[in-house]
Amino acid sequence: FIRNHHHYCGAENQMNEKCQINHSQRVGKIANLVIFLGILGIILSILALTVSHGLAQRGYGFSYIVLGLFMMGLGYGIRYRCAYSLYAAVALFTVLSGSFLFRFLVCHTAYVSLRLALCTWVSFRLFQSLPSMRALILTNTFPERNNRFMRYFLRRNVNDNPR
Protein backbone atom coordinates (compact mmCIF):
# COMPACT_ATOMS: atom_id res chain seq x y z
CA PHE A 1 0.00 0.00 0.00
CA ILE A 2 2.80 2.45 0.88
CA ARG A 3 4.58 1.68 -2.36
CA ASN A 4 1.44 2.41 -4.37
CA HIS A 5 0.83 5.55 -2.32
CA HIS A 6 4.28 6.89 -3.20
CA HIS A 7 3.70 5.96 -6.82
CA TYR A 8 0.39 7.82 -6.76
CA CYS A 9 1.96 10.88 -5.15
CA GLY A 10 4.73 10.76 -7.73
CA ALA A 11 2.17 10.78 -10.51
CA GLU A 12 0.35 13.65 -8.80
CA ASN A 13 3.58 15.64 -8.53
CA GLN A 14 4.28 15.01 -12.20
CA MET A 15 0.81 16.24 -13.01
CA ASN A 16 1.33 19.38 -10.91
CA GLU A 17 4.66 19.97 -12.66
CA LYS A 18 2.93 19.55 -16.00
CA CYS A 19 0.31 22.12 -14.96
CA GLN A 20 3.07 24.52 -13.90
CA ILE A 21 4.81 23.98 -17.22
CA ASN A 22 1.56 24.77 -19.03
CA HIS A 23 1.10 27.91 -16.94
CA SER A 24 4.68 29.02 -17.51
CA GLN A 25 4.41 28.28 -21.23
CA ARG A 26 1.12 30.16 -21.55
CA VAL A 27 2.44 33.27 -19.80
CA GLY A 28 5.79 33.02 -21.61
CA LYS A 29 4.09 32.86 -24.99
CA ILE A 30 1.90 35.84 -24.15
CA ALA A 31 4.98 37.81 -23.06
CA ASN A 32 6.72 36.94 -26.35
CA LEU A 33 3.60 37.96 -28.31
CA VAL A 34 3.39 41.37 -26.61
CA ILE A 35 7.13 41.95 -27.13
CA PHE A 36 6.83 40.92 -30.80
CA LEU A 37 3.88 43.25 -31.40
CA GLY A 38 5.82 46.10 -29.78
CA ILE A 39 8.83 45.47 -32.02
CA LEU A 40 6.56 45.22 -35.08
CA GLY A 41 4.89 48.54 -34.20
CA ILE A 42 8.29 50.22 -33.82
CA ILE A 43 9.54 48.88 -37.16
CA LEU A 44 6.37 49.94 -39.00
CA SER A 45 6.54 53.37 -37.36
CA ILE A 46 10.16 53.89 -38.38
CA LEU A 47 9.24 52.88 -41.93
CA ALA A 48 6.31 55.31 -41.84
CA LEU A 49 8.54 58.15 -40.69
CA THR A 50 11.28 57.48 -43.23
CA VAL A 51 10.02 55.70 -46.33
CA SER A 52 6.35 54.76 -46.52
CA HIS A 53 3.69 57.43 -46.75
CA GLY A 54 1.03 54.69 -46.86
CA LEU A 55 1.94 53.55 -43.36
CA ALA A 56 1.96 57.15 -42.16
CA GLN A 57 -1.57 57.61 -43.51
CA ARG A 58 -2.67 54.55 -41.53
CA GLY A 59 -1.59 56.16 -38.29
CA TYR A 60 1.93 54.90 -37.78
CA GLY A 61 4.47 57.44 -36.65
CA PHE A 62 6.08 58.80 -33.53
CA SER A 63 3.11 57.90 -31.28
CA TYR A 64 3.31 54.26 -32.36
CA ILE A 65 7.03 54.21 -31.56
CA VAL A 66 6.14 55.23 -28.01
CA LEU A 67 3.30 52.69 -27.95
CA GLY A 68 5.64 49.97 -29.26
CA LEU A 69 8.20 50.75 -26.56
CA PHE A 70 5.43 50.60 -23.97
CA MET A 71 4.28 47.22 -25.34
CA MET A 72 7.83 45.89 -25.17
CA GLY A 73 8.11 47.09 -21.57
CA LEU A 74 4.84 45.37 -20.71
CA GLY A 75 6.01 42.18 -22.41
CA TYR A 76 9.22 42.11 -20.42
CA GLY A 77 7.25 42.89 -17.26
CA ILE A 78 5.04 39.88 -17.98
CA ARG A 79 8.12 37.78 -18.65
CA TYR A 80 9.47 38.71 -15.21
CA ARG A 81 6.16 37.82 -13.53
CA CYS A 82 4.78 41.29 -12.85
CA ALA A 83 1.01 40.90 -12.67
CA TYR A 84 0.51 44.67 -13.07
CA SER A 85 2.18 44.49 -16.48
CA LEU A 86 -0.27 41.80 -17.52
CA TYR A 87 -3.22 43.86 -16.26
CA ALA A 88 -1.90 46.92 -18.11
CA ALA A 89 -1.46 44.86 -21.30
CA VAL A 90 -5.05 43.58 -21.02
CA ALA A 91 -6.26 47.17 -20.59
CA LEU A 92 -4.10 48.46 -23.46
CA PHE A 93 -5.23 45.84 -25.98
CA THR A 94 -8.86 46.16 -24.87
CA VAL A 95 -8.70 49.93 -25.45
CA LEU A 96 -7.02 49.34 -28.83
CA SER A 97 -9.77 46.84 -29.71
CA GLY A 98 -12.42 49.42 -28.80
CA SER A 99 -10.65 52.04 -30.88
CA PHE A 100 -10.51 49.77 -33.90
CA LEU A 101 -14.13 48.76 -33.38
CA PHE A 102 -15.11 52.44 -33.51
CA ARG A 103 -12.98 52.95 -36.62
CA PHE A 104 -14.53 49.86 -38.20
CA LEU A 105 -18.04 51.17 -37.56
CA VAL A 106 -17.12 54.50 -39.15
CA CYS A 107 -15.28 53.14 -42.19
CA HIS A 108 -15.52 49.50 -43.18
CA THR A 109 -12.05 48.70 -44.46
CA ALA A 110 -10.27 45.36 -44.50
CA TYR A 111 -7.22 46.88 -42.82
CA VAL A 112 -9.21 48.14 -39.82
CA SER A 113 -11.09 44.84 -39.54
CA LEU A 114 -7.77 42.97 -39.54
CA ARG A 115 -6.37 45.21 -36.78
CA LEU A 116 -9.65 44.83 -34.84
CA ALA A 117 -9.46 41.03 -35.11
CA LEU A 118 -5.79 40.98 -34.07
CA CYS A 119 -6.29 43.27 -31.05
CA THR A 120 -9.40 41.38 -29.95
CA TRP A 121 -7.56 38.04 -30.22
CA VAL A 122 -4.58 39.38 -28.26
CA SER A 123 -6.94 40.80 -25.60
CA PHE A 124 -8.63 37.41 -25.31
CA ARG A 125 -5.27 35.59 -25.00
CA LEU A 126 -4.08 38.08 -22.37
CA PHE A 127 -7.31 37.65 -20.42
CA GLN A 128 -6.90 33.85 -20.63
CA SER A 129 -3.42 34.07 -19.13
CA LEU A 130 -4.54 35.93 -15.96
CA PRO A 131 -5.18 32.71 -13.96
CA SER A 132 -1.87 31.30 -15.17
CA MET A 133 -0.04 34.39 -13.92
CA ARG A 134 -1.73 34.00 -10.53
CA ALA A 135 -0.66 30.35 -10.43
CA LEU A 136 2.94 31.30 -11.24
CA ILE A 137 2.99 33.91 -8.49
CA LEU A 138 1.54 31.46 -5.96
CA THR A 139 4.05 28.75 -6.85
CA ASN A 140 6.93 31.24 -7.09
CA THR A 141 7.83 30.14 -10.61
CA PHE A 142 8.66 32.28 -13.62
CA PRO A 143 7.22 32.20 -17.13
CA GLU A 144 9.11 30.23 -19.72
CA ARG A 145 11.53 32.45 -21.58
CA ASN A 146 12.21 30.11 -24.46
CA ASN A 147 11.19 31.22 -27.88
CA ARG A 148 10.58 28.42 -30.37
CA PHE A 149 11.86 30.51 -33.27
CA MET A 150 15.13 31.28 -31.47
CA ARG A 151 15.41 27.60 -30.51
CA TYR A 152 14.95 26.66 -34.18
CA PHE A 153 17.65 29.07 -35.36
CA LEU A 154 20.06 28.12 -32.59
CA ARG A 155 19.54 24.41 -33.27
CA ARG A 156 19.94 25.00 -37.00
CA ASN A 157 23.14 27.00 -36.42
CA VAL A 158 24.58 24.21 -34.26
CA ASN A 159 23.69 21.62 -36.94
CA ASP A 160 25.30 23.78 -39.65
CA ASN A 161 28.61 23.99 -37.75
CA PRO A 162 29.36 20.47 -36.48
CA ARG A 163 32.53 20.10 -34.45
Side-chain angles (χ1 to χ4, degrees), residues 42-53 55-56:
I42 291 169
I43 290 171
L44 291 174
S45 296
I46 291 172
L47 287 175
L49 291 173
T50 58
V51 180
S52 175
H53 294 290
L55 287 173

Side-chain angles (χ1 to χ4, degrees), residues 35-88:
I35 292 167
F36 170 75
L37 291 175
I39 292 170
L40 182 65
I42 291 169
I43 290 171
L44 291 174
S45 296
I46 291 172
L47 287 175
L49 291 173
T50 58
V51 180
S52 175
H53 294 290
L55 287 173
Q57 290 173 348
R58 294 184 180 198
Y60 290 101
F62 182 73
S63 62
Y64 264 82
I65 290 176
V66 173
L67 187 64
L69 288 171
F70 185 63
M71 282 183 198
M72 285 180 59
L74 290 176
Y76 280 106
I78 294 168
R79 183 177 280 180
Y80 288 100
R81 204 181 61 199
C82 178
Y84 296 117
S85 294
L86 183 59
Y87 297 141

Side-chain angles (χ1 to χ4, degrees), residues 77-162:
I78 294 168
R79 183 177 280 180
Y80 288 100
R81 204 181 61 199
C82 178
Y84 296 117
S85 294
L86 183 59
Y87 297 141
V90 169
L92 173 67
F93 280 96
T94 303
V95 167
L96 286 173
S97 297
S99 170
F100 288 119
L101 177 62
F102 177 74
R103 288 184 192 177
F104 179 73
L105 293 175
V106 171
C107 58
H108 305 298
T109 63
Y111 173 75
V112 173
S113 63
L114 177 67
R115 300 264 324 250
L116 171 63
L118 178 67
C119 285
T120 305
W121 176 74
V122 172
S123 299
F124 176 72
R125 293 296 309 261
L126 285 163
F127 188 74
Q128 273 185 327
S129 67
L130 288 172
S132 294
M133 178 64 91
R134 283 189 214 109
L136 292 180
I137 291 170
L138 288 175
T139 57
N140 199 24
T141 54
F142 282 90
E144 185 177 287
R145 294 186 185 152
N146 291 337
N147 186 334
R148 64 181 171 174
F149 300 112
M150 289 303 293
R151 243 185 319 186
Y152 171 76
F153 287 119
L154 290 174
R155 183 176 21 168
R156 186 171 174 209
N157 193 12
V158 169
N159 291 337
D160 289 343
N161 299 324

Side-chain angles (χ1 to χ4, degrees), residues 1-13:
F1 172 74
I2 294 173
R3 186 176 190 182
N4 288 338
H5 177 69
H6 287 293
H7 179 68
Y8 175 75
C9 289
E12 185 178 297
N13 286 339

